[in-house]
Amino acid sequence: MQERRQRPRGAGDPSRRGRSAFGRSARGGVGRACARRNFPENPGFISSEELVGLGGAHQGAGKLLGGPEALTSHLPTELDDSEAIRPQAALLEKHFLEGEKQPPSTGQGPFFYIGGTNGASIISSYCKSKGWRRIQDNRREDYKLKWCEVKCRDTYCNFREGKQLLYQLPNNKLLTTKIGLLSVLREHSRVLSKTSKPAPCAQSKVLKMEDFFPETYRLDIRDEREAFFTLFDETEMWICKPTASNQGKGIFLLRNQEEVTTLQAKTQSIEDDPIYRKMPFRAPQARVVQRYIKNPLLLDGKKFDVRSYLLIACAMPYMVFFGHGYARLTLGLYDPHSSDLSGHLTNQFMQKKSPLYVLLKEDTVWSMEHLNRYINDKFHKTKGLPRDWVFTTFTKRMQQIMAHCFLAVKAKLECKLGYFDLIGCDFLIDENFKVWLLEMNSNPALHTNCEVLKEVIPGVVMETLDLALETFQKSLRSEKMLPLLSQRRFVLLHNGETDLWPCLGGSRKVPRPPLPPLRPTCDAAPLEPPLLRATDRPGARRPAPHRGLGGGPGRPSSAHRRPRPPIPAPDGALSGGPEAQGGGQPRVGDEDRVRELSPGPAEEERKNAGHRGS
């Protein structure tokens, strides 16, 4: 018992940041950098007990994660004799497996850091229930989980892939800024239009950008700006938004020619300013104008939209999920001619400005069950909608749109094992029951200031962390992702196991079981072309190859691993994963898959990163 309480060498000492017990070992003369890059620094990061955790998984989690046998059983058989071929690698791997048996010492890590207040109490309770300790120093690098509202360049530079979990993909702005989302959707549409057309019966299944995204123009591009100013007429209303802001900040409406003329003069004067021309980042012009949807569906006369979630639980391989959220309503009745923005924007930040908010705040948020009952009662018969339209047609449409947006940006995202992200997606339903994607938000609001949010948000956060932990551990051990024992309410949209499958301790890929061939049907979806690596992009740096143990090539980093050609899925999953989804959850059909997008130039930087969530 005394030995078990001893602190593992090199673990949990903040004064030795980034140092590994392997780095100080004299076994084989292994260098510190090699150990840090290839093997977990703190054995026992995720135990079977931790997976169950607060609101954790079902029984059987211990069997899923197991002990050293669970690790070695998923390695290729040709690695069994690696100790004779690569003695140093085998020695380190043996050290890692032995360390897996030792729980963290009392009073030591694992450590977690939370930056900001958005959802902090829920995240902290979750981590502490696993015996993790919270640290307050943002500069410490010995954390196992870091959840920050504001992204910091140093955090990503010092991130240790395969050893740490880090919230927010570094370039999620491609989805979560207005210009970023607009640009990737446009490029994806161009790619789809140039690729070979699918069979006639499946052609209608491919989403078109104009069918779910309102007409939008960029004000920082002269040609687009002039095109908007030319087509504007006073019979239509437009809304002007900053590209990287949220909570309704900087938004205004354009309803008459006088307002448009004022905007035109302002943008032109700024562009003609010689000082502005020298600015490396043209923040004043980072705006879009979007056609305002004037005929929204109303709930008891009030405007509303629906907040749903896109969860990227794992980025290596991609494991992407859809999650239900809640409906957000305005306090007052909808008047399209009103100049009060709180009647046009439904987010809580805008509604809190009303003196009636304290008394009526419970009326500004509906659960999805409440929304479904309302639609059934009011429109099931009068509009001829199917029963439970919210949980059938509407949910499937949101999933299709989210999957389309993810595939549009998938080849551009920076992915490493340990990155995960939760993105808030806002949808509007018009009076014809057409579904529109308004925007996507990084760091979505996780506050629980009303009863519905108290029921929804903790479950979203805890399942997000459960899925991030389980997929991280399975990827680290080269295990199959499905079934996921921690999956409860989130629905799988994309299983990237066929895109890429990294293997611990080398560049070999774990062989995948052969899939039954697809029957040639008219509904078969087109295959996705292989991913392009980050280093294949024009002008991208190509890092020097990593020198592995003994001076030979080591395990390639995430940017160097060669992707596995995609395999069509026989089970109807959008992702093409080989297994059926656990839990009996509905999944997006195969017919909704679209072709992959080739990488392009990065978009503008987010100018207002320090927000609290939207």
Side-chain angles (χ1 to χ4, degrees):
M1 292 296 292
Q2 186 64 28
E3 285 185 10
R4 296 179 64 85
R5 292 194 182 96
Q6 290 178 353
R7 184 177 61 186
R9 294 178 61 191
D13 187 354
S15 65
R16 300 177 181 269
R17 290 188 200 121
R19 296 195 63 180
S20 167
F22 304 134
R24 289 182 277 105
S25 175
R27 302 178 181 180
V30 181
R32 180 170 55 207
C34 297
R36 286 185 57 185
R37 183 180 295 259
N38 289 302
F39 296 94
E41 178 181 315
N42 191 353
F45 171 28
I46 302 174
S47 66
S48 57
E49 293 81 9
E50 285 175 318
L51 179 62
V52 179
L54 176 61
H58 316 292
Q59 290 184 350
K63 182 179 179 181
L64 169 70
L65 295 183
E69 295 78 12
L71 281 173
T72 54
S73 63
H74 295 275
L75 294 175
T77 55
E78 62 266 27
L79 292 184
D80 292 344
D81 298 328
S82 60
E83 192 159 345
I85 301 172
R86 296 187 339 194
Q88 294 171 329
L91 197 59
L92 285 182
E93 194 159 24
K94 182 180 179 182
H95 193 152
F96 164 67
L97 295 178
E98 290 176 350
E100 189 77 4
K101 304 175 185 177
Q102 302 175 4
S105 300
T106 304
Q108 301 303 318
F111 301 106
F112 68 96
Y113 175 85
I114 302 175
T117 60
N118 185 30
S121 60
I122 304 172
I123 302 163
S124 180
S125 296
Y126 176 95
C127 294
K128 289 180 180 179
S129 73
K130 297 180 177 295
W132 298 7
R133 294 183 58 199
R134 183 171 182 176
I135 56 177
Q136 303 294 335
D137 188 353
N138 184 37
R139 297 167 296 177
R140 284 181 59 165
E141 299 173 12
D142 58 342
Y143 63 87
K144 290 303 179 183
L145 170 67
K146 193 169 190 175
W147 184 300
C148 293
E149 296 181 14
V150 181
K151 292 181 291 185
C152 175
R153 184 182 302 273
D154 289 344
T155 298
Y156 296 96
C157 291
N158 299 325
F159 173 74
R160 296 195 292 274
E161 182 176 11
K163 302 175 186 177
Q164 298 174 318
L165 283 167
L166 182 59
Y167 174 62
Q168 292 201 59
L169 273 65
N171 64 335
N172 60 5
K173 66 180 184 296
L174 296 175
L175 283 175
T176 61
T177 62
K178 280 73 171 179
I179 288 178
L181 181 60
L182 173 65
S183 299
V184 296
L185 288 178
R186 283 178 174 175
E187 183 176 353
H188 196 45
S189 296
R190 289 194 295 267
V191 171
L192 291 176
S193 65
K194 293 179 181 178
T195 55
S196 57
K197 295 182 179 179
C201 61
Q203 187 170 357
S204 60
K205 303 292 184 180
V206 178
L207 291 181
K208 295 182 179 180
M209 178 180 172
E210 58 270 19
D211 291 338
F212 68 88
F213 197 71
E215 184 179 359
T216 307
Y217 295 88
R218 291 177 58 170
L219 293 183
D220 61 329
I221 297 178
R222 181 185 294 271
D223 291 344
E224 287 196 39
R225 188 169 66 238
E226 295 303 325
F228 165 70
F229 292 144
T230 301
L231 67 85
F232 177 83
D233 68 80
E234 297 191 356
T235 62
E236 298 289 341
M237 184 160 62
W238 295 73
I239 185 168
C240 186
K241 307 176 182 179
T243 180
S245 186
N246 65 352
Q247 298 178 335
K249 298 173 183 176
I251 292 179
F252 56 87
L253 300 176
L254 296 170
R255 288 170 293 192
N256 55 58
Q257 189 61 51
E258 181 181 357
E259 293 172 341
V260 172
T261 302
T262 301
L263 176 63
Q264 186 175 14
K266 182 177 180 179
T267 55
Q268 189 62 46
S269 63
I270 293 176
E271 190 171 84
D272 292 340
D273 190 335
I275 298 178
Y276 168 75
R277 290 185 177 184
K278 297 179 181 179
M279 293 174 62
F281 177 61
R282 302 185 175 187
Q285 289 287 4
R287 285 182 168 272
V288 299
V289 284
Q290 192 172 70
R291 188 181 295 275
Y292 187 87
I293 300 173
K294 294 182 65 175
N295 61 332
L297 183 67
L298 304 179
L299 303 180
D300 293 332
K302 300 176 182 179
K303 186 177 179 180
F304 78 100
D305 65 12
V306 172
R307 163 60 58 87
S308 297
Y309 297 100
L310 176 70
L311 168 62
I312 304 176
C314 183
M316 186 69 84
Y318 280 121
M319 295 297 292
V320 183
F321 299 84
F322 161 86
H324 273 301
Y326 49 92
R328 310 183 298 184
L329 292 75
T330 59
L331 277 170
L333 299 179
Y334 175 67
D335 179 7
H337 305 292
S338 172
S339 58
D340 183 3
L341 280 178
S342 64
H344 299 276
L345 306 179
T346 62
N347 63 71
Q348 290 282 293
F349 184 83
M350 294 299 299
Q351 302 311 309
K352 287 179 181 179
K353 296 181 178 181
S354 170
L356 298 176
Y357 177 79
V358 176
L359 298 175
L360 303 175
K361 67 178 182 178
E362 299 296 340
D363 297 333
T364 63
V365 181
W366 284 13
S367 67
M368 296 303 292
E369 290 77 14
H370 187 174
L371 177 63
N372 185 58
R373 290 194 300 269
Y374 184 92
I375 298 295
N376 281 340
D377 294 343
K378 296 288 184 180
F379 304 108
H380 171 55
K381 293 182 179 179
T382 59
K383 294 290 186 178
L385 297 180
R387 191 76 181 173
D388 297 326
W389 179 85
V390 168
F391 291 122
T392 54
T393 306
F394 177 52
T395 296
K396 182 179 180 180
R397 187 63 173 177
M398 289 192 293
Q399 292 173 352
Q400 290 172 338
I401 293 171
M402 284 189 190
H404 182 93
C405 293
F406 172 73
L407 291 178
V409 77
K410 173 182 162 189
K412 296 172 177 286
L413 292 175
E414 297 178 25
C415 53
K416 289 184 178 181
L417 178 56
Y419 287 169
F420 71 102
D421 213 337
L422 182 68
I423 296 172
C425 306
D426 297 336
F427 293 91
L428 185 140
I429 306 169
D430 67 21
E431 60 186 9
N432 299 316
F433 291 88
K434 185 173 182 178
V435 180
W436 299 92
L437 173 64
L438 299 180
E439 62 185 26
M440 292 184 168
N441 297 279
S442 62
N443 185 38
L446 302 175
H447 308 304
T448 55
N449 57 327
C450 64
E451 292 304 317
V452 171
L453 296 180
K454 290 176 182 178
E455 296 175 1
V456 173
I457 298 301
V460 169
V461 174
M462 288 189 287
E463 190 170 352
T464 292
L465 291 168
D466 278 341
L467 288 169
L469 288 168
E470 186 179 354
T471 55
F472 174 85
Q473 193 71 14
K474 284 188 171 182
S475 180
L476 194 64
R477 296 176 173 181
S478 296
E479 295 179 355
K480 293 180 182 179
M481 287 292 179
L482 300 179
L484 290 164
L485 299 186
S486 56
Q487 182 182 355
R488 297 180 292 278
R489 300 192 65 179
F490 275 92
V491 178
L492 182 65
L493 292 182
H494 181 89
N495 182 346
E497 289 181 280
T498 55
D499 301 329
L500 178 68
W501 190 251
C503 175
L504 178 66
S507 60
R508 296 184 182 92
K509 303 295 187 295
V510 175
R512 313 303 294 158
L515 298 177
L518 282 176
R519 289 178 294 179
T521 62
C522 199
D523 291 334
L527 294 180
E528 299 173 14
L531 286 173
L532 290 180
R533 296 174 296 175
T535 52
D536 291 336
R537 302 175 189 170
R541 291 185 177 180
R542 289 168 172 78
H546 166 58
R547 308 303 295 177
L549 300 171
R555 180 188 180 209
S557 65
S558 58
H560 292 80
R561 299 187 185 116
R562 187 179 301 278
R564 178 181 294 273
I567 303 174
D571 61 349
L574 178 71
S575 60
E579 298 85 8
Q581 179 182 346
Q585 298 279 11
R587 296 171 67 178
V588 181
D590 238 15
E591 65 271 17
D592 299 316
R593 296 180 64 189
V594 292
R595 295 182 180 271
E596 188 58 69
L597 173 65
S598 60
E603 298 299 330
E604 295 182 36
E605 290 289 338
R606 178 185 292 272
K607 72 171 182 175
N608 186 14
H611 58 278
R612 297 185 59 193
S614 59

